Amino acid sequence: MNFPILTTALLAPVIAALVIVFLPREEERLAKSIAAIGTGISLLISIYVYFAYDTSVGGYQFVDFGQPIPWIPDLGVTWYMAVDGLSLPMLLLTNLIGFTAVFASWNVKERAKELMILLLLLIAGVMGTFIAQNLFIFLLFYEVVVIPIYIMVIIWGSSKRVTKEYAGMKLTIYLLIGSAFLLVGVMAIFAKALDITGIPDMSFEGLAQVAFPEQFQIYMFALLLIGFGTLLSMWPLHSWSPDGYAGAPTAVSMIHAGVLKKIGGYGLIRFAIYVFPLGAKFWAPVIAVLGVIGVAYAAMGALAQKDLKYLVGYSSVSHMGYVLLGFATLGLIGVNGAVAIMFAHGVMAALFFSMVGFIYEKTHTRWIPELGGLFQNAPKLAVGFMLAGMASLGLPGLVNFLPEFTVFIASFKVYGILAVIAIAGIIITALYILRAGANSLFGPARPEYKDVKDIRGPEMVPLVVLGSVLVIGGILPSLLFDMINSGVEPLMAHVNDILQMGGGR
Amino acid sequence: MHIDYSLLSTEIALAILGLIVFTLGLTLPSRSTNRGLGAFAIFGLLIVLGITVSFWGTQAELLAGMYLIDNFSVFFKILALVAAILIVFGTMSYANNNLSRQLEYYSTIIFATLGMIIMISAGDFITLYIGLELMTVSFIILVAFRKTDGHSLEAGIKYLILAGVSSAVLLYGLSLIYGATGTVYILELAELVTAGTISPLLVFGLVLLVAGFGFKISAAPFHMWAPDVYEGAPTPITAYLAVGSKAASFAILVRVFVGGLAGMQEQWATLLAVLAAISILLGNLVAIPQTNIKRMLAYSSIAQAGYIMVGLLTASPEGIKGVMFYAFIYLFATIGAFVVVCAVYEKTKSDEIASYAGLSQRSPLAAAVMLISLLSMAGIPPLAGFVGKFYLFTTITDNFMWLVYIGLIMSMVSVYYYLRVALVMYRDEPTDPTPIKMGAAVNVTLIIAMVATLVLGIYPTPLSELSNIAAQSFFTW
């Protein structure tokens, strides 16, 4: 019987939220500090688990209570909290971003108590998806995150180009309709598996052992692809993403772009590809094409944006195209790269959104032509912005370079010309990132911004924490890649076994 | 013939309780009785609930199959009693302040409950009809209880006429089935009606039966009465109509269709599937433009009826279990929502959604319960509605995949109008910022509803096992 360390990490934010519920309204600072402590505990636990995980052994480790605890027997649901090399980077990412998101909202004055409660619930929900190794519990957390986000967008969001009500509702409805398809799939899968084996089991491992017929796999994979693809902002299901991020408050944009989107990618590899290899093989070319269209289309879209949040929003859609391309190779290297991109992009996007958030807080505009010369007054802010920008365009030495490079190598072998188009996307990325940086940060100082204060105190936390991860991950990529490889290798070995049998099961 | 009357102790106790409450109301001075009468009714109902629970595990028939007692019926009786207790308890202050004479009020609620309980246990068409009418007539009185309010009277008249018509249709259907098979006993029917004996007469009777029951469960296209009656009736009665009347009607629907007419499953499954689809589509889509919360909840309850019908389609223990599970969690969600409606109405005298502006600041508990109840109806995890839908829809993925799509996509669409209420409650500033003070009874009811919805969503196993056992007993006759 192990100490349930992962459940503890999951509950820390929930308990912090409960404590905050009983605070008086005026105690905003205290509420924020408690939120920071709650997320801090989860962050420390995930760092500890990340480094204590034995990559040479691999597989599920830190299984809470030592084994799955029966939860809903007739649905085959167990409380199965464990991590492997695939879950761990995502868990770490969640808590890095969760912790820094609290500090990115440090200056929120209006109803700060409620914001912290919802933020903590959101973080707990996202964390749950990555450590639950049972499909049902995964789904529970998957959908639980949608409602706090909606409330956060409509209360603390901003109505610049679209109203926050529109942004919030668009985001919510898109994700929910996507998840409806996912749910249809899951129900059919559960019923079919029960039919075939006679034992209700919804753990990922258990489902992967069921011999689903090929036609069924193809059908179900399509449903899962719609569900997870919507969340991953796969073209053409991406249009919630730029609007949603633009309307959302900083903390939500950070978590959403940084880690929530990645649940889509995580679900694809952990569930869709792992359980339905034959379906994955059938749809892989489609995924690749959609991914590449996403890269090119969203990069072009970003090029046309004058609003910083829209720019980062489109850029994140574009990066998700690389993730899809990596998955579509259905090979160890490509999937490794895709998972690594999910981590790297998460850190980068969170830093980017927090910096954009601070720029907006201090200048009251996100409109690039109205900005300029911020570097003069706010050098630290500018450093953070440029660091995220450089990571986004894949500068070697930062964490994003190697994952993208890996995906390019792997996908060039399989898809040739498609990979070339995707690589060309990098050039456009460089163009819009550098242009945005130049226009908003550099150049002569503008008189209207001469009183702008640089970030300091708690505001520095996102820059320091996320920035150092970007650099450390860039210098020591093996920290990330060894971990991911130990998780992806057994999954892909299983997939390849089945593919080699050629559907003979 | 020896008759074991002890098997009827629930019904006898409930009838006595109703009469005592009625007599007390007549004899005691009116001013002081109001509060006491409600408390007495709750006390009595709790005792009846205790008696009912003690029947768990009994499997017996009375009067040669006219009356059936099994875990299935005990489960639904518990449901009806819990609903009555929670509603009376949570809305006592509403009743004191908004309804003038209450001596008939509580006793009529008790008689409506008695009607439900008889209907739930009915083993033949005659008993079924007696229970149904006792329930319906009581509800007609209750719906029109606010005698000075035009809406309430209009609702009463509508309910009276439409319930009368639907009873006629139902009776006609029952008589046709009797004509075709020569029996009114549901258990005998199960033996007589097999795939080989289906006649056009039987099919016609079946269709009329669907129409008659469709009215009671407010399934489209027999739902026309629901929005007007829900809006006009006193809110506690609306809640009881939505929970109790619907659940009891589902119980008898299951008894007649799955228990008695299983041989015609091919005929009625498709029919019910289409009705379920129409109910889900219509209920959810028409709920979107509503501005009155009671009307919105009425349309949403039409959609909920559609979801529950899904459980019948396979005529399997899993499906029946889904029906029971969903009916029970729907109880908590509905009561939570309607008790909030009562509490808000007491302060603002309005049922418009706009009057919920800033409710999260005026009463955080009421706003939270409303949000949780609505999201549970929409099936958002970790609330109970999600597990309930999971149980229901997994049973039909083989034969009715198209209905799974409709059901799940529309339940996501329903989030749109549920969230509009959340928007008003959480974002808008209140026009009148004074806090809404609720009595202890209201608070307790709300907390019970909220905790049940949350806990059964996260850990549904206890209720799921109970409904499993109850569903099994249904198939052992």
Side-chain angles (χ1 to χ4, degrees):
Chain A
M1 193 107 171
N2 292 358
F3 178 72
I5 189 166
L6 296 171
T7 306
T8 310
L10 180 68
L11 287 181
V14 178
I15 291 167
L18 281 179
V19 173
I20 295 175
V21 167
F22 293 105
L23 288 181
R25 278 189 98 80
E26 314 79 60
E27 296 283 356
E28 286 176 8
R29 274 203 93 80
L30 187 60
K32 286 168 186 164
S33 310
I34 293 173
I37 294 171
T39 51
I41 292 173
S42 301
L43 178 61
L44 288 178
I45 291 177
S46 40
I47 291 173
Y48 163 73
V49 173
Y50 192 94
F51 287 101
Y53 181 89
D54 189 347
T55 51
S56 59
V57 177
Y60 288 134
Q61 294 178 20
F62 295 97
V63 181
D64 276 1
F65 305 106
Q67 63 193 18
I69 305 292
W71 197 250
I72 314 174
D74 54 356
L75 291 180
V77 180
T78 50
W79 187 258
Y80 190 5
M81 294 297 178
V83 284
D84 64 359
L86 183 58
S87 306
L88 259 179
M90 294 295 125
L91 176 67
L92 184 64
L93 179 67
T94 310
N95 287 313
L96 281 171
I97 294 174
F99 182 66
T100 50
V102 171
F103 291 95
S105 353
W106 205 260
N107 298 334
V108 175
K109 292 273 175 293
E110 180 203 2
R111 299 165 82 175
K113 180 184 145 180
E114 285 97 331
L115 177 68
M116 287 302 140
I117 295 171
L118 290 169
L119 186 60
L120 288 166
L121 293 179
L122 176 59
I123 293 165
V126 177
M127 210 184 325
T129 58
F130 292 127
I131 55 177
Q133 305 303 342
N134 187 291
L135 176 58
F136 191 88
I137 306 274
F138 168 82
L139 267 184
L140 220 67
F141 287 114
Y142 178 87
E143 290 206 42
V144 93
V145 295
V146 176
I147 304 303
I149 288 184
Y150 174 71
I151 298 177
M152 285 162 90
V153 172
I154 58 165
I155 297 182
W156 295 277
S158 65
S159 303
K160 278 279 156 181
R161 195 163 101 189
V162 293
T163 64
K164 56 190 180 182
E165 287 79 12
Y166 173 82
M169 198 49 101
K170 183 168 184 180
L171 190 84
T172 310
I173 295 293
Y174 252 90
L175 295 187
L176 285 177
I177 298 286
S179 77
F181 284 96
L182 181 66
L183 265 177
V184 172
V186 169
M187 287 177 181
I189 291 162
F190 168 74
K192 189 84 175 178
L194 188 60
D195 243 19
I196 296 176
T197 63
I199 306 158
D201 186 1
M202 280 176 91
S203 69
F204 292 126
E205 286 168 314
L207 286 172
Q209 300 309 319
V210 179
F212 293 107
E214 184 170 1
Q215 280 306 314
F216 183 75
Q217 292 206 15
I218 291 171
Y219 182 13
M220 288 302 128
F221 194 91
L223 290 177
L224 301 185
L225 185 61
I226 294 174
F228 291 129
T230 311
L231 191 55
L232 194 69
S233 65
M234 176 178 76
W235 190 89
L237 305 169
H238 68 282
S239 85
W240 57 270
S241 171
D243 284 340
Y245 295 162
T250 306
V252 170
S253 304
M254 283 173 73
I255 293 180
H256 214 300
V259 61
L260 208 141
K261 250 185 180 178
K262 275 65 180 187
I263 300 176
Y266 175 83
L268 273 180
I269 176 70
R270 167 74 77 200
F271 177 33
I273 296 176
Y274 179 47
V275 176
F276 301 112
L278 298 174
K281 192 174 173 221
F282 182 85
W283 290 106
V286 177
I287 299 176
V289 170
L290 292 180
V292 171
I293 295 178
V295 169
Y297 173 88
M300 299 287 197
L303 208 51
Q305 300 307 318
K306 294 211 159 54
D307 182 313
L308 276 177
K309 269 198 154 179
Y310 270 97
L311 183 118
V312 186
Y314 273 104
S315 131
S316 93
V317 175
S318 168
H319 279 90
M320 289 308 105
Y322 296 131
V323 174
L324 288 168
L325 189 61
F327 284 151
T329 61
L330 292 183
L332 177 60
I333 300 173
V335 174
N336 269 344
V339 176
I341 291 185
M342 297 204 302
F343 179 84
H345 174 265
V347 180
M348 180 276 285
L351 181 61
F352 225 147
F353 271 118
S354 70
M355 291 302 131
V356 172
F358 284 131
I359 290 180
Y360 179 65
E361 232 172 67
K362 291 170 196 300
T363 64
H364 304 289
T365 183
R366 304 185 312 229
W367 199 245
I368 297 173
E370 290 176 7
L371 290 163
L374 283 181
F375 189 79
Q376 317 275 352
N377 291 324
K380 289 175 199 151
L381 183 60
V383 165
F385 188 99
M386 283 321 288
L387 195 61
M390 290 301 135
S392 176
L393 56 81
L395 189 76
L398 295 174
V399 69
N400 300 58
F401 166 71
L402 204 59
E404 288 183 5
F405 188 68
T406 316
V407 167
F408 294 151
I409 292 176
S411 61
F412 186 71
K413 267 196 211 152
V414 186
Y415 292 110
I417 186 75
L418 279 179
V420 174
I421 300 173
I423 295 168
I426 286 276
I427 302 168
I428 309 178
T429 310
L431 196 58
Y432 64 74
I433 293 285
L434 291 176
R435 211 174 56 175
N439 289 340
S440 52
L441 302 177
F442 301 108
R446 289 203 178 200
E448 60 264 42
Y449 302 132
K450 67 177 188 309
D451 295 329
V452 166
K453 295 225 168 30
D454 202 359
I455 49 175
R456 63 201 157 90
E459 298 171 351
M460 286 292 289
V461 173
L463 173 57
V464 172
V465 174
L466 298 173
S468 42
V469 175
L470 282 182
V471 174
I472 296 172
I475 298 170
L476 297 169
S478 64
L479 274 183
L480 182 62
F481 270 88
D482 285 354
M483 179 61 76
I484 292 174
N485 190 50
S486 82
V488 172
E489 203 173 9
L491 293 186
M492 292 317 290
H494 171 81
V495 169
N496 284 329
D497 277 354
I498 289 174
L499 288 183
Q500 248 140 49
M501 280 190 274
R505 302 201 310 159
Chain B
M1 190 170 74
H2 171 73
I3 301 168
D4 185 359
Y5 285 107
S6 68
L7 287 173
L8 289 175
S9 26
T10 302
E11 290 74 6
I12 294 169
L14 204 54
I16 294 174
L17 178 68
L19 292 173
I20 293 178
V21 170
F22 188 68
T23 336
L24 273 182
L26 282 178
T27 48
L28 294 174
S30 74
R31 197 167 286 275
S32 62
T33 51
N34 284 355
R35 199 166 287 270
L37 213 52
F40 183 80
I42 291 169
F43 181 68
L45 284 170
L46 279 173
I47 293 175
V48 178
L49 179 63
I51 296 173
T52 312
V53 170
S54 73
F55 274 98
W56 183 259
T58 314
Q59 181 112 359
E61 55 179 295
L62 213 65
L63 301 168
M66 279 182 80
Y67 211 72
L68 304 175
I69 291 162
D70 53 7
N71 285 342
F72 174 80
S73 65
V74 172
F75 185 95
F76 272 105
K77 286 178 191 175
I78 293 174
L79 195 158
L81 287 167
V82 168
I85 291 167
L86 283 179
I87 289 170
V88 172
F89 187 57
T91 61
M92 237 183 323
S93 73
Y94 173 94
N96 285 333
N97 301 333
N98 294 284
L99 304 175
S100 47
R101 280 164 58 79
Q102 288 163 34
L103 57 111
E104 301 101 338
Y105 177 73
Y106 291 113
S107 56
T108 319
I109 286 185
I110 292 171
F111 284 123
T113 316
L114 181 60
M116 289 174 201
I117 280 178
I118 292 174
M119 190 160 95
I120 288 166
S121 258
D124 76 333
F125 291 160
I126 315 291
T127 321
L128 181 165
Y129 188 71
I130 291 171
L132 188 80
E133 282 306 285
L134 178 54
M135 177 184 91
T136 310
V137 172
S138 308
F139 268 122
I140 293 169
I141 300 169
L142 289 168
V143 166
F145 209 83
R146 290 164 62 178
K147 287 183 281 269
T148 50
D149 179 1
H151 283 295
S152 182
L153 293 179
E154 183 196 329
I157 297 281
K158 274 189 180 150
Y159 192 64
L160 172 68
I161 295 172
L162 288 171
V165 173
S166 84
S167 288
V169 171
L170 183 70
L171 269 183
Y172 191 26
L174 292 175
S175 67
L176 289 182
I177 290 180
Y178 173 66
T181 60
T183 182
V184 289
Y185 294 101
I186 293 170
L187 295 181
E188 260 178 52
L189 207 59
E191 288 156 23
L192 291 174
V193 178
T194 51
T197 60
I198 296 169
S199 59
L201 192 62
L202 208 51
V203 174
F204 186 49
L206 179 86
V207 172
L208 292 178
L209 233 55
V210 169
F213 285 127
F215 173 86
K216 293 291 170 206
I217 59 173
S218 68
F222 315 109
H223 65 281
M224 300 295 186
W225 61 280
D228 288 339
V229 172
Y230 276 36
E231 187 187 356
T235 310
I237 302 310
T238 311
Y240 203 31
L241 261 181
V243 179
S245 162
K246 190 171 283 195
S249 309
F250 262 109
I252 193 64
L253 186 65
V254 171
R255 183 77 81 189
V256 172
F257 279 61
V258 182
L261 298 170
M264 296 175 76
Q265 194 209 349
E266 221 171 289
Q267 278 76 15
W268 57 255
T270 319
L271 188 60
L272 286 186
V274 171
L275 289 191
I278 300 175
S279 304
I280 292 170
L281 283 168
L282 185 133
N284 283 322
L285 290 179
V286 183
I288 292 174
Q290 302 304 324
T291 56
N292 180 298
I293 192 139
K294 282 164 86 177
R295 282 190 89 82
M296 188 200 90
L297 286 169
Y299 281 107
S300 114
S301 93
I302 294 167
Q304 302 291 329
Y307 298 135
I308 303 181
M309 277 160 85
V310 164
L312 269 74
L313 301 182
T314 50
S316 63
E318 291 79 24
I320 306 304
K321 173 242 185 81
V323 170
M324 289 194 281
F325 187 90
Y326 201 91
F328 219 103
I329 57 164
Y330 176 64
L331 175 156
F332 291 113
T334 309
I335 289 179
F338 276 111
V339 171
V340 173
V341 173
C342 277
V344 172
Y345 179 83
E346 269 200 73
K347 183 87 180 179
T348 63
K349 298 292 169 209
S350 161
D351 287 329
E352 293 302 307
I353 293 176
S355 62
Y356 285 70
L359 188 65
S360 67
Q361 294 167 42
R362 300 182 72 183
S363 169
L365 176 68
V369 171
M370 187 58 129
L371 181 66
I372 285 178
S373 300
L374 294 181
L375 291 180
S376 178
M377 291 183 203
I380 300 291
L383 304 170
F386 175 72
V387 191
K389 280 188 184 146
F390 205 94
Y391 278 129
L392 285 173
F393 283 100
T394 41
T395 59
I396 58 161
T397 50
D398 272 349
N399 304 323
F400 297 96
M401 194 66 173
W402 56 273
L403 187 54
V404 184
Y405 279 102
I406 292 180
L408 292 178
I409 291 176
M410 289 318 288
S411 64
M412 295 308 169
V413 169
S414 73
V415 175
Y416 176 76
Y417 60 84
Y418 291 135
L419 278 186
R420 265 191 344 166
V421 181
L423 187 81
V424 173
M425 291 192 305
Y426 280 89
R427 184 205 53 183
D428 292 359
E429 288 298 318
T431 42
D432 165 21
T434 50
I436 295 182
K437 285 254 181 315
M438 298 179 295
V442 176
N443 281 333
V444 169
T445 315
L446 289 182
I447 289 170
I448 291 175
M450 179 167 75
V451 169
T453 307
L454 262 172
V455 170
L456 289 175
I458 295 170
Y459 189 64
T461 308
L463 181 60
S464 142
E465 295 205 325
L466 282 185
S467 32
N468 227 348
I469 296 168
Q472 296 296 343
S473 85
F474 182 83
F475 286 90
T476 48
W477 283 107

